[in-house]
Structure formats: C-alpha cells, structure tokens
Amino acid sequence: GENVEQHPSTLSVQEGDSAVIKCTYSDSASNYFPWYKQELGKGPQLIIDIRSNVGEKKDQRIAVTLNKTAKHFSLHITETQPEDSAVYFCAASPTNTGKLIFGQGTTLQVKP
Amino acid sequence: GAVVSQHPSWVICKSGTSVKIECRSLDFQATTMFWYRQFPKQSLMLMATSNEGSKATYEQGVEKDKFLINHASLTLSTLTVTSAHPEDSSFYICSARAGPGGDQPQHFGDGTRLSIL
C-alpha cells in the first residue's frame, strides 16, 4: 500500500523567511496530493492541492511542486507570518482506493 | 464553501456508555465521508469510509462492532462508540468528499475530543 514520508518533523523560521516541507510517496498510482494545516484543537484545513497532471501550483504565498518521477512533492510558504504557525500534513491518494494517506506532520513555528 | 460541521466538539462520559458523534456537510452533498482518529502529536489514522446508503468499510484493526457508522443521507454521517472504555479516549475527526473520485478534496470537521473516565 501507499506510504508517505514527511520531513522535517519540526521547522522554525523567522517571520518573513520561507518555509519548505517535503514529502515522498511510494505508490506510483497516487494522483492527488493535498496539503492540510491543523491548528491546535481543530480539524485539518485544506490549504492547497495538486493533481498528478500538474507540476506546480501556486496560491498567493503558498505553492506546491510535484515530481512524479522521483515521487516527491513539496510545500513552499513564502513571507511567513506568525499565524502560519501550525502543524502541516501532506497526503497522497492512490487512484484505486480514493483514500488519503497522510504524512507524519510538520510543526512549523514562525518567530516574530 | 465546503463546510463540515462536527458535533459535539468535546464529550466526557463514564466507562461503558455509548457516545454518538455527528458529521454534517453544510453546503454540499457528500457522497463519501471518512472517520479518522488522531492521538496527541500524531498523524491522522483512517478508521472507516462510508458511502451514503451503504455499509461502511473499516480499516484493518478497527472493530466495526465497537465503532458503528451510519451514513443515512448525503449530508450526515454518525459514528457511535459503543461501550466506550478509557482506551477509546481520543480525538475523532470526520471528513466529507463531494465527488466519488479520489482526486476530489476532503474537507474536515473540527473534531470531537472524547474522554472516557
């Protein structure tokens, strides 16, 4: 089955700097890769997603890149702000199951 | 758009009681809903997948008689933890997906923190 590895587990950046979180997946049949932000005591919030027919997608300060050959995808947050501090999860969805397989999560701390 | 409401947000009950958690998609119809469990500082673990009008599909290791799932309408799924015990204490989160394809977004509720005394 699908396995998703996420790194780093914790990331601390200064306000205004960029943050990058990387994920790798194992199942070449996966075709959908969402990223979620989870604040303390809340459910995950979808912040951006990408499908396997696209290599890059951007939404304001957030971008995601996908390398199908290498089976990895990354989240890029530019001009970080303290309110970006949260736990971020990547996920992959194999076409044959439609389920989301989550990475282990990255705790991002943005220092003012 | 794509709001999922989960209720209650927090429940404390005695060991041996049953607890029902509701998950509603407020502004879209959800053909498929999912139930996850999350332990502190850990990732989400899928418990089961439910499609409207059919029986839920449980992940390996999840007791279907312990965690009863009902998806009676396109906007409501319920999870009932039967005869709950302290080891069932956890954060339970539902998600809803509008379309049948795995490449359609899942939208999550804000979770239910269950504490069994």
Side-chain angles (χ1 to χ4, degrees):
Chain A
E2 175 65 280
N3 183 53
V4 178
E5 296 287 334
Q6 182 172 345
H7 298 280
S9 56
T10 60
L11 179 59
S12 182
V13 299
Q14 210 63 38
E15 182 179 1
D17 288 349
S18 295
V20 180
I21 303 171
K22 299 182 178 181
C23 289
T24 60
Y25 62 99
S26 61
D27 190 345
S28 57
S30 288
N31 67 339
Y32 176 64
F33 307 91
W35 285 88
Y36 289 89
K37 174 184 180 183
Q38 186 176 28
E39 296 176 336
L40 195 62
K42 300 267 188 179
Q45 176 191 8
L46 179 67
I47 55 172
I48 196 167
D49 57 9
I50 191 167
R51 291 172 178 79
S52 58
N53 59 344
V54 176
E56 184 173 356
K57 183 176 179 180
K58 190 174 181 180
D59 182 5
Q60 298 183 340
R61 297 186 296 110
I62 296 173
V64 58
T65 58
L66 171 65
N67 183 326
K68 287 192 297 180
T69 304
K71 296 197 190 75
H72 66 69
F73 55 115
S74 301
L75 177 72
H76 304 253
I77 306 174
T78 58
E79 300 172 27
T80 54
Q81 302 165 3
E83 50 266 39
D84 294 329
S85 298
V87 179
Y88 290 81
F89 290 98
C90 65
S93 178
T95 48
N96 59 334
T97 69
K99 302 174 186 177
L100 287 181
I101 308 301
F102 283 87
Q104 297 85 348
T106 297
T107 300
L108 173 64
Q109 181 187 29
V110 180
K111 298 178 181 177
Chain B
V3 178
V4 176
S5 174
Q6 192 170 337
H7 180 81
S9 57
W10 188 33
V11 58
I12 303 174
C13 61
K14 293 181 179 180
S15 184
T17 59
S18 294
V19 179
K20 180 185 282 189
I21 303 168
E22 292 188 350
C23 179
R24 295 181 184 272
S25 55
L26 298 186
D27 52 0
F28 67 101
Q29 292 187 326
T31 56
T32 307
M33 288 185 169
F34 302 85
W35 288 95
Y36 295 82
R37 185 171 180 177
Q38 186 178 36
F39 291 105
K41 298 188 185 299
Q42 293 191 24
S43 189
L44 288 80
M45 182 187 76
L46 179 65
M47 298 174 64
T49 303
S50 73
N51 292 295
E52 185 264 339
S54 61
K55 288 184 178 180
T57 303
Y58 291 81
E59 295 300 300
Q60 191 172 10
V62 178
E63 300 176 58
K64 61 181 181 181
D65 294 331
K66 160 69 90 173
F67 301 100
L68 300 179
I69 292 171
N70 184 279
H71 191 164
S73 78
L74 286 172
T75 59
L76 174 64
S77 176
T78 61
L79 167 68
T80 300
V81 184
T82 62
S83 187
H85 292 286
E87 58 266 29
D88 298 322
S89 298
S90 192
F91 192 50
Y92 293 87
I93 316 174
C94 72
S95 72
R97 189 177 70 196
D103 64 344
Q104 297 302 307
Q106 285 187 31
H107 301 282
F108 285 81
D110 269 341
T112 297
R113 186 157 305 282
L114 175 62
S115 296
I116 309 298
L117 303 178

